[in-house]
Amino acid sequence: MSLSTVICIGMAGSGKTTFMQRLNSHIRSKKEVPYVINLDPAVLNVPYGANIDIRDSIKYKKVMENYQLGPNGAIVTSLNLFSTKIDQVIKLVEKKRETHDLCIIDTPGQIECFVWSASGAIITESFASTFPTVIAYIVDTPRNTSPTTFMSNMLYACSILYKTELPMIIVFNKTDVKKADFAKEWMTDFEAFQQAIREDQDANGDFGMGSGYMSSLINSMSLMLEEFYSTMDVVGVSSYTGEGFDDFLDAVDKKVDEYEEYYKVQREKILKEKEEKEKAKKEKSLNGLMSDLGLDDKKKTDDDSADVVSDIEEGENDGFVDRDEDEGVEREYTFAGDERIKGEVNESNEPLLQKRYQEAFEQVSKTASSETAENIARYVRQ
């Protein structure tokens, strides 16, 4: 059994918490039990039982008092404190792999506090690197009947997609109040969206939308979003009646497969590249340390490649010549600077040469010992 994660993100008032409650009830009606996590430290009551609740470990009001923060700053700080223990949370969820199919996570209503904060990125990355993870972007359908408001919401969803780099499902909530058919049409038919913009301008008069700049901007953004829409799964749900939640769970299964096929491979590639960069960085630091200590091999200069004429000659043998040994020539080498060893070094005077080596070695040892003793005495006097 494989456990997958759904992170619910949406604007304030879009109905994330009610969506979580209905999703929890819908899954339980199928004789399955989801693992539920609440990451909103400022909520007073939640209409579902949470297996892990940030409020159990972080006191929101105390954070405001102790750090002299406002509401949003306290939420960000609470998430920062919670993210320091995210490894423990992941371990708790991992233990439920055999008993749960789905882990659903509720996030703060102040969307920017989670999406754009470092702690939100840490939490998202931690789950995404351990479990197949899907982002559910909750949209308040009745408030997005205006083309401009709808486009603004879709641009925000697009930015979240590229920020998290995870599969995303756009969930049009509150379809019991307003059906999401108009939104689905706008996402699939460019001309229908253009017609809706013109109708909105005619109905509301000239409020700046008719200017050349705004008209061009809206057209450009709608064209850009066409590519974004083509990769999205869109579902309409009603957290009040429970309509559409089977479609949502089907979309989650599809996105989990997409995660395994595309996103997981890409994330593993990124992690591997990061690991290789860290390894190269460590090797570079080690080489620098060895160089500072004088333990590295002497690097060859460009002049070393042409020390002798034969190295740069090109001819019949391309600069290679036979060695004397190959020609059967035997030589005895001379040792200059010692009267006791005159002429060539051979078997007869080899013991004298060995004796000289020994005398030189003993002299160097005495000198080194004397210098060491002097350095120690000087250090003690200081």
Side-chain angles (χ1 to χ4, degrees), residues 134-193:
V134 179
I135 301 295
Y137 184 72
I138 315 300
V139 179
D140 187 346
T141 308
R143 292 185 182 179
N144 282 268
T145 54
S146 167
T148 53
T149 306
F150 172 81
M151 181 180 296
S152 299
N153 221 321
M154 292 300 101
L155 286 171
Y156 209 105
C158 182
S159 66
I160 293 174
L161 173 67
Y162 288 105
K163 175 68 168 62
T164 60
E165 298 183 348
L166 290 170
M168 176 182 285
I169 303 171
I170 297 180
V171 182
F172 287 97
N173 196 13
K174 306 180 183 180
T175 54
D176 55 294
V177 178
K178 176 67 177 179
K179 294 293 185 182
D181 296 338
F182 73 94
K184 294 179 180 179
E185 182 182 13
W186 288 352
M187 297 176 73
T188 54
D189 190 342
F190 176 75
E191 293 298 331
F193 184 69

Side-chain angles (χ1 to χ4, degrees), residues 222-242:
S222 56
L223 284 170
M224 181 275 293
L225 287 174
E226 273 196 312
E227 182 66 23
F228 169 68
Y229 297 149
S230 65
T231 62
M232 290 297 100
D233 277 16
V234 181
V235 296
V237 302
S238 171
S239 298
Y240 180 72
T241 64

Side-chain angles (χ1 to χ4, degrees), residues 26-131:
H26 186 78
I27 296 174
R28 288 178 180 272
S29 68
K30 297 178 176 295
K31 307 301 179 182
E32 298 177 3
V33 180
Y35 197 81
V36 185
I37 299 176
N38 172 46
L39 293 181
D40 190 351
V43 66
L44 294 178
N45 299 295
V46 290
Y48 52 82
N51 299 92
I52 298 177
D53 196 329
I54 188 175
R55 298 176 301 166
D56 294 337
S57 54
I58 308 295
K59 303 302 179 186
Y60 174 71
K61 290 185 178 180
K62 287 292 183 182
V63 171
M64 290 184 67
E65 294 174 4
N66 294 340
Y67 295 94
Q68 299 295 307
L69 297 170
N72 286 358
I75 290 175
V76 173
T77 304
S78 298
L79 287 170
N80 290 342
L81 295 171
F82 185 79
S83 64
T84 60
K85 303 295 182 182
I86 190 62
D87 56 328
Q88 299 179 17
V89 176
I90 296 297
K91 289 179 181 178
L92 290 173
V93 179
E94 281 187 315
K95 293 179 181 178
K96 303 298 180 181
R97 284 182 182 271
E98 301 300 323
T99 56
H100 295 74
D101 288 336
L102 197 63
C103 173
I104 54 179
I105 303 173
D106 194 8
T107 58
Q110 289 72 11
I111 185 172
E112 68 280 358
C113 294
F114 181 81
V115 175
W116 305 111
S117 66
S119 55
I122 291 171
I123 293 170
T124 303
E125 288 288 333
S126 298
F127 278 99
S129 60
T130 311
F131 313 101

Side-chain angles (χ1 to χ4, degrees), residues 237-341:
V237 302
S238 171
S239 298
Y240 180 72
T241 64
E243 178 187 2
F245 277 85
D246 284 330
D247 295 336
F248 174 75
L249 292 177
D250 291 340
V252 170
D253 292 337
K254 179 181 177 181
K255 288 298 181 181
V256 168
D257 294 338
E258 184 179 314
Y259 172 92
E260 296 287 352
E261 185 176 356
Y262 299 106
Y263 288 84
K264 184 179 180 181
V265 175
Q266 183 65 20
R267 295 179 80 83
E268 289 177 349
K269 180 182 178 182
I270 293 172
L271 290 174
K272 185 177 179 181
E273 290 177 353
K274 184 178 180 181
E275 183 180 351
E276 290 176 351
K277 288 181 180 179
E278 289 293 330
K279 184 178 179 181
K281 185 177 179 180
K282 289 180 179 179
E283 289 180 356
K284 184 178 180 181
S285 299
L286 180 60
N287 292 336
L289 177 62
M290 297 290 285
S291 177
D292 292 341
L293 295 175
L295 300 177
D296 59 334
D297 294 333
K298 293 182 179 179
K299 295 181 179 179
K300 294 183 177 180
T301 62
D302 294 338
D303 295 337
D304 293 339
S305 60
D307 282 340
V308 294
V309 176
S310 60
D311 289 335
I312 59 175
E313 283 182 341
E314 291 185 6
E316 183 177 345
N317 297 316
D318 294 328
F320 291 99
V321 296
D322 294 331
R323 297 180 301 164
D324 291 340
E325 289 81 359
D326 298 331
E327 298 176 355
V329 178
E330 295 183 359
R331 288 183 178 176
E332 290 184 340
Y333 296 92
T334 59
F335 190 92
D338 195 333
E339 295 296 331
R340 296 174 298 174
I341 306 175

Side-chain angles (χ1 to χ4, degrees), residues 192-219:
F193 184 69
Q194 294 295 313
Q195 180 62 30
I197 291 176
R198 289 191 290 270
E199 292 175 357
D200 188 61
Q201 290 176 357
D202 295 338
N204 294 283
D206 187 8
F207 53 90
M209 285 288 296
S211 66
Y213 170 73
M214 287 302 297
S215 177
S216 175
L217 177 62
I218 291 172
N219 288 331

